[in-house]
Short mmCIF file of all heavy atoms in Angstrom, two decimals:
data_model
loop_
_atom_site.label_atom_id
_atom_site.label_comp_id
_atom_site.label_asym_id
_atom_site.label_seq_id
_atom_site.Cartn_x
_atom_site.Cartn_y
_atom_site.Cartn_z
N ALA V 1 28.77 19.30 20.31
CA ALA V 1 29.60 18.10 20.70
C ALA V 1 30.90 18.54 21.40
O ALA V 1 31.30 17.94 22.40
CB ALA V 1 29.91 17.25 19.46
N ALA V 2 31.57 19.55 20.84
CA ALA V 2 32.80 20.00 21.44
C ALA V 2 32.50 20.58 22.86
O ALA V 2 33.30 20.37 23.81
CB ALA V 2 33.51 21.04 20.54
N ALA V 3 31.45 21.35 22.97
CA ALA V 3 31.15 21.99 24.25
C ALA V 3 30.80 20.89 25.28
O ALA V 3 31.18 21.00 26.44
CB ALA V 3 29.97 22.98 24.08
N ALA V 4 30.08 19.91 24.86
CA ALA V 4 29.70 18.80 25.75
C ALA V 4 30.93 18.06 26.29
O ALA V 4 30.90 17.54 27.36
CB ALA V 4 28.77 17.85 25.09
N ASP V 5 32.04 18.05 25.51
CA ASP V 5 33.25 17.38 25.98
C ASP V 5 34.14 18.39 26.75
O ASP V 5 35.30 18.00 27.08
CB ASP V 5 34.01 16.81 24.75
CG ASP V 5 33.40 15.48 24.30
OD1 ASP V 5 32.83 14.78 25.15
OD2 ASP V 5 33.50 15.26 23.07
N GLY V 6 33.72 19.55 26.97
CA GLY V 6 34.44 20.44 27.89
C GLY V 6 35.35 21.44 27.15
O GLY V 6 36.07 22.19 27.76
N PHE V 7 35.38 21.43 25.79
CA PHE V 7 36.18 22.43 25.07
C PHE V 7 35.52 23.80 25.26
O PHE V 7 34.29 23.97 25.19
CB PHE V 7 36.25 22.07 23.58
CG PHE V 7 37.14 20.90 23.27
CD1 PHE V 7 36.63 19.67 23.02
CD2 PHE V 7 38.55 21.10 23.28
CE1 PHE V 7 37.48 18.58 22.71
CE2 PHE V 7 39.39 20.00 22.99
CZ PHE V 7 38.85 18.75 22.70
N GLN V 8 36.40 24.79 25.36
CA GLN V 8 35.94 26.15 25.39
C GLN V 8 36.28 27.02 24.20
O GLN V 8 35.82 28.13 24.01
CB GLN V 8 36.51 26.85 26.70
CG GLN V 8 36.03 26.20 27.95
CD GLN V 8 36.60 26.86 29.22
OE1 GLN V 8 37.75 27.38 29.18
NE2 GLN V 8 35.85 26.88 30.27
N GLY V 9 37.13 26.39 23.32
CA GLY V 9 37.47 27.09 22.10
C GLY V 9 37.43 26.11 20.91
O GLY V 9 37.46 24.88 21.07
N VAL V 10 37.22 26.70 19.70
CA VAL V 10 37.14 25.91 18.50
C VAL V 10 37.94 26.57 17.40
O VAL V 10 38.06 27.80 17.33
CB VAL V 10 35.73 25.64 18.04
CG1 VAL V 10 34.96 24.76 19.02
CG2 VAL V 10 34.95 26.92 17.76
N GLU V 11 38.43 25.74 16.52
CA GLU V 11 39.00 26.21 15.23
C GLU V 11 38.56 25.33 14.12
O GLU V 11 37.96 24.24 14.36
CB GLU V 11 40.59 26.18 15.36
CG GLU V 11 41.13 24.76 15.52
CD GLU V 11 42.70 24.73 15.58
OE1 GLU V 11 43.28 25.62 16.11
OE2 GLU V 11 43.18 23.73 15.04
N TYR V 12 38.78 25.75 12.87
CA TYR V 12 38.43 24.89 11.74
C TYR V 12 39.13 25.47 10.50
O TYR V 12 39.62 26.59 10.62
CB TYR V 12 36.96 24.76 11.50
CG TYR V 12 36.10 25.97 11.82
CD1 TYR V 12 36.02 27.00 10.93
CD2 TYR V 12 35.37 26.02 13.01
CE1 TYR V 12 35.27 28.18 11.19
CE2 TYR V 12 34.64 27.15 13.31
CZ TYR V 12 34.55 28.18 12.36
OH TYR V 12 33.81 29.31 12.71
N LEU V 13 39.10 24.80 9.39
CA LEU V 13 39.80 25.27 8.29
C LEU V 13 39.26 26.53 7.70
O LEU V 13 39.82 27.59 7.58
CB LEU V 13 39.87 24.16 7.15
CG LEU V 13 40.74 22.95 7.48
CD1 LEU V 13 40.70 21.98 6.31
CD2 LEU V 13 42.23 23.36 7.70
N PHE V 14 37.93 26.44 7.27
CA PHE V 14 37.33 27.55 6.52
C PHE V 14 35.92 27.80 6.97
O PHE V 14 35.16 26.80 7.11
CB PHE V 14 37.31 27.27 5.00
CG PHE V 14 38.69 26.85 4.49
CD1 PHE V 14 38.96 25.54 4.11
CD2 PHE V 14 39.76 27.77 4.48
CE1 PHE V 14 40.12 25.15 3.65
CE2 PHE V 14 41.00 27.38 4.01
CZ PHE V 14 41.19 26.02 3.56
N PRO V 15 35.49 29.00 7.19
CA PRO V 15 34.12 29.34 7.63
C PRO V 15 33.18 29.73 6.48
O PRO V 15 32.01 29.99 6.71
CB PRO V 15 34.33 30.47 8.57
CG PRO V 15 35.44 31.23 7.98
CD PRO V 15 36.38 30.18 7.33
N TYR V 16 33.67 29.81 5.23
CA TYR V 16 33.01 30.57 4.20
C TYR V 16 31.79 29.95 3.60
O TYR V 16 31.06 30.61 2.89
CB TYR V 16 34.09 31.00 3.16
CG TYR V 16 35.36 31.56 3.73
CD1 TYR V 16 36.48 30.81 3.77
CD2 TYR V 16 35.28 32.79 4.41
CE1 TYR V 16 37.64 31.34 4.40
CE2 TYR V 16 36.41 33.28 4.97
CZ TYR V 16 37.60 32.54 4.96
OH TYR V 16 38.70 33.02 5.57
N THR V 17 31.54 28.69 3.92
CA THR V 17 30.31 28.06 3.44
C THR V 17 29.11 28.61 4.18
O THR V 17 27.96 28.57 3.69
CB THR V 17 30.41 26.50 3.66
OG1 THR V 17 31.52 26.02 2.90
CG2 THR V 17 29.16 25.81 3.18
N TRP V 18 29.37 29.11 5.39
CA TRP V 18 28.29 29.62 6.28
C TRP V 18 28.39 31.10 6.44
O TRP V 18 29.43 31.67 6.29
CB TRP V 18 28.35 28.93 7.62
CG TRP V 18 28.18 27.44 7.58
CD1 TRP V 18 27.03 26.77 7.60
CD2 TRP V 18 29.26 26.48 7.36
NE1 TRP V 18 27.29 25.42 7.47
CE2 TRP V 18 28.61 25.21 7.33
CE3 TRP V 18 30.64 26.59 7.20
CZ2 TRP V 18 29.36 24.04 7.13
CZ3 TRP V 18 31.37 25.41 6.99
CH2 TRP V 18 30.71 24.18 6.98
N GLN V 19 27.21 31.69 6.72
CA GLN V 19 27.26 33.15 7.04
C GLN V 19 27.88 33.37 8.42
O GLN V 19 27.70 32.56 9.33
CB GLN V 19 25.87 33.70 7.05
CG GLN V 19 25.21 33.81 5.66
CD GLN V 19 25.98 34.63 4.68
OE1 GLN V 19 26.37 35.82 5.02
NE2 GLN V 19 26.29 34.14 3.47
N PRO V 20 28.65 34.40 8.59
CA PRO V 20 29.33 34.56 9.88
C PRO V 20 28.39 34.69 11.07
O PRO V 20 28.67 34.25 12.14
CB PRO V 20 30.19 35.86 9.70
CG PRO V 20 29.57 36.58 8.50
CD PRO V 20 29.04 35.46 7.62
N GLU V 21 27.20 35.31 10.83
CA GLU V 21 26.26 35.41 11.88
C GLU V 21 25.72 34.03 12.29
O GLU V 21 25.43 33.90 13.51
CB GLU V 21 25.07 36.30 11.42
CG GLU V 21 25.41 37.79 11.19
CD GLU V 21 26.19 38.02 9.89
OE1 GLU V 21 26.18 37.13 9.03
OE2 GLU V 21 26.74 39.07 9.71
N GLU V 22 25.58 33.13 11.41
CA GLU V 22 25.17 31.78 11.73
C GLU V 22 26.17 31.10 12.64
O GLU V 22 25.79 30.45 13.63
CB GLU V 22 24.95 30.93 10.50
CG GLU V 22 24.48 29.50 10.70
CD GLU V 22 24.35 28.68 9.41
OE1 GLU V 22 24.72 29.29 8.35
OE2 GLU V 22 23.93 27.54 9.49
N LEU V 23 27.42 31.24 12.23
CA LEU V 23 28.48 30.64 13.11
C LEU V 23 28.59 31.32 14.50
O LEU V 23 28.80 30.72 15.50
CB LEU V 23 29.81 30.72 12.39
CG LEU V 23 29.91 29.92 11.00
CD1 LEU V 23 31.18 30.17 10.32
CD2 LEU V 23 29.71 28.42 11.26
N LYS V 24 28.42 32.66 14.50
CA LYS V 24 28.49 33.37 15.76
C LYS V 24 27.38 32.88 16.69
O LYS V 24 27.58 32.67 17.87
CB LYS V 24 28.39 34.87 15.53
CG LYS V 24 28.42 35.71 16.76
CD LYS V 24 28.33 37.19 16.51
CE LYS V 24 28.40 38.00 17.79
NZ LYS V 24 28.30 39.47 17.53
N ALA V 25 26.18 32.63 16.16
CA ALA V 25 25.09 32.16 16.95
C ALA V 25 25.42 30.83 17.59
O ALA V 25 25.06 30.52 18.74
CB ALA V 25 23.81 32.07 16.14
N LEU V 26 26.09 29.97 16.82
CA LEU V 26 26.46 28.64 17.38
C LEU V 26 27.50 28.78 18.46
O LEU V 26 27.44 28.08 19.48
CB LEU V 26 26.99 27.75 16.20
CG LEU V 26 25.98 27.23 15.23
CD1 LEU V 26 26.68 26.59 13.99
CD2 LEU V 26 25.03 26.21 15.87
N LEU V 27 28.41 29.68 18.26
CA LEU V 27 29.46 29.95 19.36
C LEU V 27 28.78 30.42 20.60
O LEU V 27 29.10 29.93 21.72
CB LEU V 27 30.44 30.91 18.81
CG LEU V 27 31.37 30.51 17.67
CD1 LEU V 27 32.07 31.74 17.08
CD2 LEU V 27 32.40 29.45 18.08
N GLN V 28 27.93 31.35 20.47
CA GLN V 28 27.25 31.92 21.62
C GLN V 28 26.35 30.90 22.29
O GLN V 28 26.27 30.80 23.58
CB GLN V 28 26.47 33.20 21.22
CG GLN V 28 27.35 34.33 20.78
CD GLN V 28 26.52 35.51 20.33
OE1 GLN V 28 25.42 35.39 19.93
NE2 GLN V 28 27.16 36.73 20.43
#
């Protein structure tokens, strides 16, 4: 959703519910 609105960067409070590799895949 953020990418569709033209954002190129994201932040959030905490990533620890998810494995870092899962989040990295979403970023890529």
Side-chain angles (χ1 to χ4, degrees):
D5 281 331
F7 286 104
Q8 297 180 327
V10 295
E11 63 177 38
Y12 37 78
L13 290 179
F14 310 110
Y16 311 108
T17 300
W18 299 269
Q19 291 300 312
E21 293 77 13
E22 180 183 3
L23 297 174
K24 181 179 180 180
L26 289 168
L27 293 167
Q28 292 177 334

